[in-house]
Amino acid sequence: MSQEPTFWEELTSPVNLILVLFIVYLIYKIIRSKFETEVEVPPPPPPLPKIRKDLTVAELSKYDGTQPDGRVFLAVNGIIFDVTRGKRFYGPGGPYAAFAGRDATRGLATAQVAGSDQEYDDLSDLTPDEVASAKEWEDQFREKYDIVGKLLRPGEVPTVYSDDESEEKTEDKKTQ
Ligand code: HEM
């Protein structure tokens, strides 16, 4: 009469031994990968101090993400936004890098990823649909990003912002 195999005999049978070793290997890999990702994630960089300032087109162009501080600004409908938080979109090599440091209004309104090359684009030739599209983008940017200031027309005098000046004031000035 054949005897039932003991637990030890069961465990050390060739097929089960391979399975047990495989499971141990998987557990090792899982623990190791968890440890590695925890170690490799760098701490988020401290947020940059806010800038409140009106800029000319030439001044805006410096904020294209290539400077040491990595700030990225862009303008929509004459309002400059700090889009540094969206660096994966607008930073160097990003899909919308062409908007970085530029007036993005025309590109956004006409669905072309290209910043304006003009000294100051007055946008007067945009169609009503394009104007509406630019306004939608502006609203989206207002929701998501901080306002830096106004994009200055040639000869326009910049606003002097005090520390506690609200964003609404900038917006009022812009629409005048
Ligand atoms: C095949 C066409 C396109 C596809 C599939 C596409 C897809 C996307 C996706 C997936 C995002 C990320 C959304 C998020 O994670 O919040 C995005 C963001 C964005 N797209 Fe497009 N896109 C297209 C065309 C365009 C065009 C033509 C423009 C403008 C000219 C544009 C402007 C933008 C901008 C500005 C953002 C970033 C918005 C932000 O800062 O949150 N996209 N797009």
Side-chain angles (χ1 to χ4, degrees):
M1 218 170 68
S2 68
Q3 245 188 330
E4 285 282 305
T6 65
F7 172 73
W8 184 249
E9 281 168 343
E10 192 82 73
L11 191 70
T12 54
S13 80
V15 175
N16 285 347
L17 198 61
I18 288 167
L19 280 174
V20 167
L21 287 175
F22 185 62
I23 290 164
V24 169
Y25 172 74
L26 282 180
I27 291 169
Y28 165 76
K29 288 282 278 185
I30 289 165
I31 290 169
R32 219 182 88 146
S33 70
K34 275 197 175 162
F35 181 73
E36 276 174 356
T37 47
E38 271 165 29
V39 169
E40 278 170 15
V41 173
L48 295 166
K50 276 188 191 177
I51 293 183
R52 288 288 280 136
K53 207 177 171 191
D54 294 347
L55 302 171
T56 62
V57 172
E59 288 165 339
L60 173 64
S61 69
K62 292 178 196 139
Y63 296 93
D64 62 356
T66 61
Q67 301 291 311
D69 66 3
R71 275 191 204 267
V72 189
F73 292 174
L74 60 74
V76 185
N77 285 340
I79 305 164
I80 300 168
F81 294 93
D82 185 337
V83 297
T84 311
R85 278 198 298 127
K87 230 181 158 180
R88 67 182 196 284
F89 298 132
Y90 310 104
Y96 305 114
F99 292 141
R102 315 282 284 278
D103 180 0
T105 319
R106 182 175 293 274
L108 292 169
T110 58
Q112 280 169 29
V113 185
S116 180
D117 285 332
Q118 304 179 28
E119 198 198 330
Y120 184 91
D121 190 348
D122 72 4
L123 308 163
S124 54
D125 59 326
L126 293 186
T127 66
D129 278 355
E130 288 165 351
V131 170
S133 169
K135 179 67 189 148
E136 275 179 32
W137 279 105
E138 180 196 319
D139 292 343
Q140 205 171 305
F141 279 90
R142 280 177 186 275
E143 292 259 315
K144 193 167 173 188
Y145 300 112
D146 288 334
I147 290 178
V148 177
K150 273 186 309 182
L151 184 62
L152 296 167
R153 294 168 182 274
E156 195 177 355
V157 181
T159 311
V160 178
Y161 296 104
S162 58
D163 287 347
D164 57 350
E165 196 159 1
S166 69
E167 283 178 359
E168 286 72 39
K169 270 197 170 172
T170 318
E171 290 155 30
D172 292 346
K173 280 175 190 147
K174 180 249 151 198
T175 48
Q176 277 164 12

PDB file of all heavy atoms in Angstrom, residues 88-90 96 99 107-108 111-113 137 140-141 144-145, ligand 1:
ATOM      1  N   ARG A  88       5.744  70.571 -18.358  1.00  0.00           N
ATOM      2  CA  ARG A  88       5.784  69.403 -19.235  1.00  0.00           C
ATOM      3  C   ARG A  88       5.125  69.707 -20.576  1.00  0.00           C
ATOM      4  O   ARG A  88       5.387  69.051 -21.578  1.00  0.00           O
ATOM      5  CB  ARG A  88       5.143  68.198 -18.568  1.00  0.00           C
ATOM      6  CG  ARG A  88       3.668  68.295 -18.320  1.00  0.00           C
ATOM      7  CD  ARG A  88       3.203  67.015 -17.607  1.00  0.00           C
ATOM      8  NE  ARG A  88       1.780  66.820 -17.649  1.00  0.00           N
ATOM      9  CZ  ARG A  88       0.900  67.482 -16.894  1.00  0.00           C
ATOM     10  NH1 ARG A  88       1.337  68.407 -16.050  1.00  0.00           N
ATOM     11  NH2 ARG A  88      -0.391  67.230 -16.987  1.00  0.00           N
ATOM     12  N   PHE A  89       4.270  70.717 -20.635  1.00  0.00           N
ATOM     13  CA  PHE A  89       3.668  71.153 -21.900  1.00  0.00           C
ATOM     14  C   PHE A  89       4.548  72.176 -22.616  1.00  0.00           C
ATOM     15  O   PHE A  89       4.760  72.114 -23.805  1.00  0.00           O
ATOM     16  CB  PHE A  89       2.312  71.828 -21.658  1.00  0.00           C
ATOM     17  CG  PHE A  89       1.275  70.941 -21.031  1.00  0.00           C
ATOM     18  CD1 PHE A  89       0.538  71.392 -19.932  1.00  0.00           C
ATOM     19  CD2 PHE A  89       1.012  69.685 -21.525  1.00  0.00           C
ATOM     20  CE1 PHE A  89      -0.427  70.601 -19.349  1.00  0.00           C
ATOM     21  CE2 PHE A  89       0.048  68.879 -20.939  1.00  0.00           C
ATOM     22  CZ  PHE A  89      -0.678  69.323 -19.854  1.00  0.00           C
ATOM     23  N   TYR A  90       5.024  73.171 -21.829  1.00  0.00           N
ATOM     24  CA  TYR A  90       5.633  74.368 -22.441  1.00  0.00           C
ATOM     25  C   TYR A  90       7.142  74.444 -22.305  1.00  0.00           C
ATOM     26  O   TYR A  90       7.768  75.277 -22.968  1.00  0.00           O
ATOM     27  CB  TYR A  90       5.031  75.636 -21.796  1.00  0.00           C
ATOM     28  CG  TYR A  90       3.532  75.619 -21.759  1.00  0.00           C
ATOM     29  CD1 TYR A  90       2.842  75.358 -20.573  1.00  0.00           C
ATOM     30  CD2 TYR A  90       2.796  75.825 -22.913  1.00  0.00           C
ATOM     31  CE1 TYR A  90       1.461  75.318 -20.539  1.00  0.00           C
ATOM     32  CE2 TYR A  90       1.411  75.778 -22.881  1.00  0.00           C
ATOM     33  CZ  TYR A  90       0.753  75.526 -21.691  1.00  0.00           C
ATOM     34  OH  TYR A  90      -0.607  75.481 -21.671  1.00  0.00           O
ATOM     35  N   TYR A  96       4.195  71.961 -26.495  1.00  0.00           N
ATOM     36  CA  TYR A  96       3.734  73.330 -26.754  1.00  0.00           C
ATOM     37  C   TYR A  96       4.820  74.350 -26.414  1.00  0.00           C
ATOM     38  O   TYR A  96       4.536  75.482 -26.045  1.00  0.00           O
ATOM     39  CB  TYR A  96       2.441  73.603 -25.974  1.00  0.00           C
ATOM     40  CG  TYR A  96       1.383  72.569 -26.300  1.00  0.00           C
ATOM     41  CD1 TYR A  96       0.930  71.671 -25.341  1.00  0.00           C
ATOM     42  CD2 TYR A  96       0.874  72.454 -27.590  1.00  0.00           C
ATOM     43  CE1 TYR A  96      -0.005  70.698 -25.662  1.00  0.00           C
ATOM     44  CE2 TYR A  96      -0.059  71.487 -27.918  1.00  0.00           C
ATOM     45  CZ  TYR A  96      -0.495  70.612 -26.948  1.00  0.00           C
ATOM     46  OH  TYR A  96      -1.413  69.647 -27.281  1.00  0.00           O
ATOM     47  N   PHE A  99       4.951  78.040 -27.568  1.00  0.00           N
ATOM     48  CA  PHE A  99       4.204  79.119 -26.904  1.00  0.00           C
ATOM     49  C   PHE A  99       5.003  79.769 -25.772  1.00  0.00           C
ATOM     50  O   PHE A  99       4.607  80.818 -25.264  1.00  0.00           O
ATOM     51  CB  PHE A  99       2.896  78.586 -26.304  1.00  0.00           C
ATOM     52  CG  PHE A  99       1.877  78.140 -27.337  1.00  0.00           C
ATOM     53  CD1 PHE A  99       1.097  77.007 -27.120  1.00  0.00           C
ATOM     54  CD2 PHE A  99       1.674  78.858 -28.497  1.00  0.00           C
ATOM     55  CE1 PHE A  99       0.154  76.604 -28.052  1.00  0.00           C
ATOM     56  CE2 PHE A  99       0.736  78.465 -29.442  1.00  0.00           C
ATOM     57  CZ  PHE A  99      -0.030  77.333 -29.216  1.00  0.00           C
ATOM     58  N   GLY A 107      -1.911  81.604 -32.064  1.00  0.00           N
ATOM     59  CA  GLY A 107      -1.732  80.153 -32.236  1.00  0.00           C
ATOM     60  C   GLY A 107      -2.880  79.378 -31.611  1.00  0.00           C
ATOM     61  O   GLY A 107      -3.435  78.471 -32.231  1.00  0.00           O
ATOM     62  N   LEU A 108      -3.251  79.744 -30.392  1.00  0.00           N
ATOM     63  CA  LEU A 108      -4.348  79.035 -29.709  1.00  0.00           C
ATOM     64  C   LEU A 108      -5.663  79.255 -30.455  1.00  0.00           C
ATOM     65  O   LEU A 108      -6.460  78.328 -30.620  1.00  0.00           O
ATOM     66  CB  LEU A 108      -4.470  79.515 -28.255  1.00  0.00           C
ATOM     67  CG  LEU A 108      -3.306  79.121 -27.334  1.00  0.00           C
ATOM     68  CD1 LEU A 108      -3.387  79.865 -26.009  1.00  0.00           C
ATOM     69  CD2 LEU A 108      -3.293  77.613 -27.090  1.00  0.00           C
ATOM     70  N   ALA A 111      -5.586  77.200 -33.719  1.00  0.00           N
ATOM     71  CA  ALA A 111      -5.172  75.801 -33.537  1.00  0.00           C
ATOM     72  C   ALA A 111      -3.840  75.494 -34.223  1.00  0.00           C
ATOM     73  O   ALA A 111      -3.680  74.480 -34.894  1.00  0.00           O
ATOM     74  CB  ALA A 111      -6.258  74.843 -34.016  1.00  0.00           C
ATOM     75  N   GLN A 112      -2.908  76.422 -34.085  1.00  0.00           N
ATOM     76  CA  GLN A 112      -1.555  76.172 -34.599  1.00  0.00           C
ATOM     77  C   GLN A 112      -0.556  76.380 -33.472  1.00  0.00           C
ATOM     78  O   GLN A 112      -0.590  77.427 -32.816  1.00  0.00           O
ATOM     79  CB  GLN A 112      -1.240  77.145 -35.740  1.00  0.00           C
ATOM     80  CG  GLN A 112      -1.881  76.687 -37.040  1.00  0.00           C
ATOM     81  CD  GLN A 112      -1.814  77.749 -38.106  1.00  0.00           C
ATOM     82  OE1 GLN A 112      -0.888  78.559 -38.114  1.00  0.00           O
ATOM     83  NE2 GLN A 112      -2.787  77.746 -38.992  1.00  0.00           N
ATOM     84  N   VAL A 113       0.277  75.380 -33.274  1.00  0.00           N
ATOM     85  CA  VAL A 113       1.225  75.484 -32.173  1.00  0.00           C
ATOM     86  C   VAL A 113       2.397  76.360 -32.620  1.00  0.00           C
ATOM     87  O   VAL A 113       3.437  75.877 -33.064  1.00  0.00           O
ATOM     88  CB  VAL A 113       1.698  74.090 -31.706  1.00  0.00           C
ATOM     89  CG1 VAL A 113       2.592  74.229 -30.474  1.00  0.00           C
ATOM     90  CG2 VAL A 113       0.510  73.197 -31.379  1.00  0.00           C
ATOM     91  N   TRP A 137      -9.594  79.781 -24.174  1.00  0.00           N
ATOM     92  CA  TRP A 137      -8.242  79.450 -23.682  1.00  0.00           C
ATOM     93  C   TRP A 137      -7.872  80.366 -22.513  1.00  0.00           C
ATOM     94  O   TRP A 137      -7.336  79.916 -21.510  1.00  0.00           O
ATOM     95  CB  TRP A 137      -7.212  79.579 -24.812  1.00  0.00           C
ATOM     96  CG  TRP A 137      -7.164  78.388 -25.701  1.00  0.00           C
ATOM     97  CD1 TRP A 137      -7.665  78.294 -26.970  1.00  0.00           C
ATOM     98  CD2 TRP A 137      -6.589  77.107 -25.410  1.00  0.00           C
ATOM     99  NE1 TRP A 137      -7.442  77.047 -27.477  1.00  0.00           N
ATOM    100  CE2 TRP A 137      -6.780  76.294 -26.545  1.00  0.00           C
ATOM    101  CE3 TRP A 137      -5.936  76.572 -24.305  1.00  0.00           C
ATOM    102  CZ2 TRP A 137      -6.334  74.976 -26.601  1.00  0.00           C
ATOM    103  CZ3 TRP A 137      -5.485  75.252 -24.361  1.00  0.00           C
ATOM    104  CH2 TRP A 137      -5.691  74.477 -25.498  1.00  0.00           C
ATOM    105  N   GLN A 140      -9.451  79.212 -19.429  1.00  0.00           N
ATOM    106  CA  GLN A 140      -8.780  77.995 -18.945  1.00  0.00           C
ATOM    107  C   GLN A 140      -7.478  78.341 -18.213  1.00  0.00           C
ATOM    108  O   GLN A 140      -7.182  77.785 -17.160  1.00  0.00           O
ATOM    109  CB  GLN A 140      -8.486  77.103 -20.146  1.00  0.00           C
ATOM    110  CG  GLN A 140      -8.356  75.650 -19.799  1.00  0.00           C
ATOM    111  CD  GLN A 140      -8.288  74.798 -21.070  1.00  0.00           C
ATOM    112  OE1 GLN A 140      -9.158  74.860 -21.934  1.00  0.00           O
ATOM    113  NE2 GLN A 140      -7.215  74.035 -21.198  1.00  0.00           N
ATOM    114  N   PHE A 141      -6.731  79.278 -18.790  1.00  0.00           N
ATOM    115  CA  PHE A 141      -5.465  79.680 -18.163  1.00  0.00           C
ATOM    116  C   PHE A 141      -5.710  80.412 -16.845  1.00  0.00           C
ATOM    117  O   PHE A 141      -4.986  80.227 -15.875  1.00  0.00           O
ATOM    118  CB  PHE A 141      -4.644  80.557 -19.120  1.00  0.00           C
ATOM    119  CG  PHE A 141      -3.893  79.749 -20.138  1.00  0.00           C
ATOM    120  CD1 PHE A 141      -4.472  79.426 -21.357  1.00  0.00           C
ATOM    121  CD2 PHE A 141      -2.617  79.282 -19.882  1.00  0.00           C
ATOM    122  CE1 PHE A 141      -3.799  78.650 -22.289  1.00  0.00           C
ATOM    123  CE2 PHE A 141      -1.924  78.518 -20.810  1.00  0.00           C
ATOM    124  CZ  PHE A 141      -2.527  78.201 -22.017  1.00  0.00           C
ATOM    125  N   LYS A 144      -6.221  77.917 -14.126  1.00  0.00           N
ATOM    126  CA  LYS A 144      -5.116  77.024 -13.774  1.00  0.00           C
ATOM    127  C   LYS A 144      -3.838  77.732 -13.338  1.00  0.00           C
ATOM    128  O   LYS A 144      -3.077  77.181 -12.538  1.00  0.00           O
ATOM    129  CB  LYS A 144      -4.832  76.135 -14.995  1.00  0.00           C
ATOM    130  CG  LYS A 144      -3.939  74.963 -14.721  1.00  0.00           C
ATOM    131  CD  LYS A 144      -3.946  73.972 -15.863  1.00  0.00           C
ATOM    132  CE  LYS A 144      -2.919  72.884 -15.635  1.00  0.00           C
ATOM    133  NZ  LYS A 144      -2.770  72.028 -16.800  1.00  0.00           N
ATOM    134  N   TYR A 145      -3.587  78.918 -13.866  1.00  0.00           N
ATOM    135  CA  TYR A 145      -2.274  79.547 -13.658  1.00  0.00           C
ATOM    136  C   TYR A 145      -2.376  80.943 -13.027  1.00  0.00           C
ATOM    137  O   TYR A 145      -3.398  81.603 -13.137  1.00  0.00           O
ATOM    138  CB  TYR A 145      -1.532  79.662 -14.995  1.00  0.00           C
ATOM    139  CG  TYR A 145      -1.286  78.342 -15.680  1.00  0.00           C
ATOM    140  CD1 TYR A 145      -1.929  78.010 -16.868  1.00  0.00           C
ATOM    141  CD2 TYR A 145      -0.407  77.404 -15.136  1.00  0.00           C
ATOM    142  CE1 TYR A 145      -1.704  76.786 -17.511  1.00  0.00           C
ATOM    143  CE2 TYR A 145      -0.178  76.181 -15.768  1.00  0.00           C
ATOM    144  CZ  TYR A 145      -0.823  75.879 -16.950  1.00  0.00           C
ATOM    145  OH  TYR A 145      -0.597  74.686 -17.561  1.00  0.00           O
TER     146      TYR A 145
HETATM  147  C1  HEM B   1      -4.200  65.998 -32.389  1.00  0.00           C
HETATM  148  C2  HEM B   1      -4.295  67.129 -31.745  1.00  0.00           C
HETATM  149  C3  HEM B   1      -4.108  67.295 -30.271  1.00  0.00           C
HETATM  150  C4  HEM B   1      -4.135  66.397 -29.269  1.00  0.00           C
HETATM  151  C5  HEM B   1      -4.364  64.900 -29.334  1.00  0.00           C
HETATM  152  C6  HEM B   1      -3.869  67.119 -28.035  1.00  0.00           C
HETATM  153  C7  HEM B   1      -3.816  66.553 -26.786  1.00  0.00           C
HETATM  154  C8  HEM B   1      -3.556  67.201 -25.629  1.00  0.00           C
HETATM  155  C9  HEM B   1      -3.474  66.594 -24.314  1.00  0.00           C
HETATM  156  C10 HEM B   1      -3.668  65.122 -24.007  1.00  0.00           C
HETATM  157  C11 HEM B   1      -3.175  67.558 -23.421  1.00  0.00           C
HETATM  158  C12 HEM B   1      -2.942  67.358 -21.938  1.00  0.00           C
HETATM  159  C13 HEM B   1      -4.160  67.722 -21.139  1.00  0.00           C
HETATM  160  C14 HEM B   1      -3.858  67.634 -19.645  1.00  0.00           C
HETATM  161  O1  HEM B   1      -3.130  66.724 -19.213  1.00  0.00           O
HETATM  162  O2  HEM B   1      -4.354  68.484 -18.896  1.00  0.00           O
HETATM  163  C15 HEM B   1      -3.071  68.790 -24.175  1.00  0.00           C
HETATM  164  C16 HEM B   1      -2.776  69.997 -23.610  1.00  0.00           C
HETATM  165  C17 HEM B   1      -2.705  71.160 -24.315  1.00  0.00           C
HETATM  166  N1  HEM B   1      -2.985  71.338 -25.651  1.00  0.00           N
HETATM  167 FE1  HEM B   1      -3.301  69.903 -26.978  1.00  0.00          FE
HETATM  168  N2  HEM B   1      -3.701  68.426 -28.323  1.00  0.00           N
HETATM  169  C18 HEM B   1      -3.839  68.586 -29.672  1.00  0.00           C
HETATM  170  C19 HEM B   1      -3.743  69.739 -30.371  1.00  0.00           C
HETATM  171  C20 HEM B   1      -3.547  70.977 -29.839  1.00  0.00           C
HETATM  172  C21 HEM B   1      -3.520  72.232 -30.569  1.00  0.00           C
HETATM  173  C22 HEM B   1      -3.717  72.375 -32.079  1.00  0.00           C
HETATM  174  C23 HEM B   1      -3.303  73.213 -29.659  1.00  0.00           C
HETATM  175  C24 HEM B   1      -3.194  74.706 -29.839  1.00  0.00           C
HETATM  176  C25 HEM B   1      -2.790  75.293 -30.911  1.00  0.00           C
HETATM  177  C26 HEM B   1      -3.176  72.587 -28.361  1.00  0.00           C
HETATM  178  C27 HEM B   1      -2.909  73.241 -27.192  1.00  0.00           C
HETATM  179  C28 HEM B   1      -2.765  72.648 -25.962  1.00  0.00           C
HETATM  180  C29 HEM B   1      -2.340  73.369 -24.782  1.00  0.00           C
HETATM  181  C30 HEM B   1      -2.004  74.845 -24.692  1.00  0.00           C
HETATM  182  C31 HEM B   1      -2.308  72.434 -23.744  1.00  0.00           C
HETATM  183  C32 HEM B   1      -1.864  72.658 -22.322  1.00  0.00           C
HETATM  184  C33 HEM B   1      -2.983  73.254 -21.481  1.00  0.00           C
HETATM  185  C34 HEM B   1      -2.510  73.500 -20.047  1.00  0.00           C
HETATM  186  O3  HEM B   1      -1.584  74.282 -19.830  1.00  0.00           O
HETATM  187  O4  HEM B   1      -3.118  72.896 -19.175  1.00  0.00           O
HETATM  188  N3  HEM B   1      -3.336  71.235 -28.497  1.00  0.00           N
HETATM  189  N4  HEM B   1      -3.302  68.544 -25.492  1.00  0.00           N
END
